[in-house]
Each structure stands twice: as structure tokens, then as C-alpha cells.
Amino acid sequence: VRSRGLGDVYKRQVSTQSTGPPTMSAGKRRVRPREDGHLLAIIADEDTVTGFVLAGAGHVDSKRNSNFLVVNEKTTTQQIEAAFRTLTTREDIGVLIISQYIAETIRHVLDDYSEMVPAILEIPSKDHPYEPKKDSLMLRVSRMTGRDRQ
């Protein structure tokens, strides 16, 4: 058993076989990780991040770099911006999931972001409903399809 650095709740069983790469236990199934796979990154409130981490999306490397940021009332806009810039420049991140109400605090940074990978996905949180008119991805799709002129 190898700890991801998040305590006993977030431990994942990893077993090695004599032939081939390590496999992760997912219930009764054995799942082989893709060698060219990418991670999800998460910037959200504690409940949302905890859900993703418990589902297996959390990752902490040997240098204690994680692929998530838990945002609370003490988190500054500068910390959110720094985490966004760090996560979007990492080559092992394929999708960055951010709560929409947090995305609103760094909207100027999101509007300037134009890379395809990692893709930015805004999601609702339990305390803040989703508003498609504020979602940068939905706005881009509307512009591309011409729906913003209707």
C-alpha cells in the first residue's frame, strides 16, 4: 500500500505483478494505467475536491505537488491565479476542472487562456448553481456556432 500523502482516507492499493507495469485495484477489477495518460486537475471548494480525490482523481507527487487546490474563505485571488497558472503549464494535466464561482474570481485569467490542453471545464458547486452565460467554454461554443448573434 502506497500513500498519496493525503492520509489514510486517500490511500490507494497498488500491486505489482511480475510481468508488466503496476496495476491499480478498482474493486474486483484490475486497471492498467495508460502510459500516456493525463491527470485531472481540480480547483474547487473542499466538498468538490474531496469528492474527486475520493473517486481517485487526486495525485500528490514525491515533491508534494498536487493536482488540486481547495479554495476556502482564506484563499486569496492571487493563490487561485497561481494555482491556475501552475496547473495549466504542467504537461501531465489534461483537463482542469474549476468551480464556476471560483472561475468568476479569476475570469480575466481564464479569458486570456487560449490553449487546447489542458481543457478548462467549469462546474457548479453545491452552494452556487451553474450559469451557462458565465461559462467561458459555452461562450466560445456560442461564438463559433454563431448563436451569440441571435
Side-chain angles (χ1 to χ4, degrees):
V1 177
R2 193 171 53 160
S3 175
R4 299 284 184 197
L6 297 173
D8 292 337
V9 175
Y10 304 120
K11 285 186 180 176
R12 199 183 257 180
Q13 291 183 342
V14 177
S15 64
T16 57
Q17 298 174 350
S18 57
T19 59
T23 59
M24 288 184 268
S25 175
K28 294 182 181 181
R29 291 185 317 151
R30 295 284 182 192
V31 179
R32 288 194 180 273
R34 290 179 46 175
E35 291 181 4
D36 61 340
H38 287 78
L39 297 172
L40 284 176
I42 306 108
I43 300 176
D45 58 275
E46 184 175 12
D47 291 341
T48 303
V49 171
T50 301
F52 277 102
V53 170
L54 287 172
H59 181 265
V60 178
D61 65 14
S62 61
K63 296 178 184 174
R64 307 281 301 153
N65 296 320
S66 66
N67 65 329
F68 55 88
L69 173 69
V70 175
V71 177
N72 58 32
E73 62 277 349
K74 295 179 183 177
T75 309
T76 65
T77 303
Q78 291 80 13
Q79 290 172 313
I80 298 169
E81 287 178 11
F84 178 84
R85 288 191 177 101
T86 300
L87 292 169
T88 54
T89 56
R90 285 179 46 179
E91 292 184 12
D92 61 337
I93 303 292
V95 176
L96 187 138
I97 297 173
I98 185 168
S99 291
Q100 190 176 48
Y101 82 97
I102 296 169
E104 282 300 309
T105 64
I106 61 165
R107 182 61 61 195
H108 61 283
V109 177
L110 286 169
D111 289 342
D112 291 341
Y113 181 77
S114 61
E115 300 296 320
M116 295 296 288
V117 176
I120 308 300
L121 181 62
E122 294 181 29
I123 62 170
S125 69
K126 71 177 189 177
D127 297 328
H128 300 87
Y130 176 73
E131 297 180 40
K133 293 180 180 178
K134 293 184 178 181
D135 188 336
S136 59
L137 181 61
M138 291 300 292
L139 291 174
R140 286 182 189 179
V141 169
S142 294
R143 274 186 245 133
M144 290 172 56
T145 59
R147 292 181 185 230
D148 63 332
R149 291 179 226 135
Q150 295 177 356

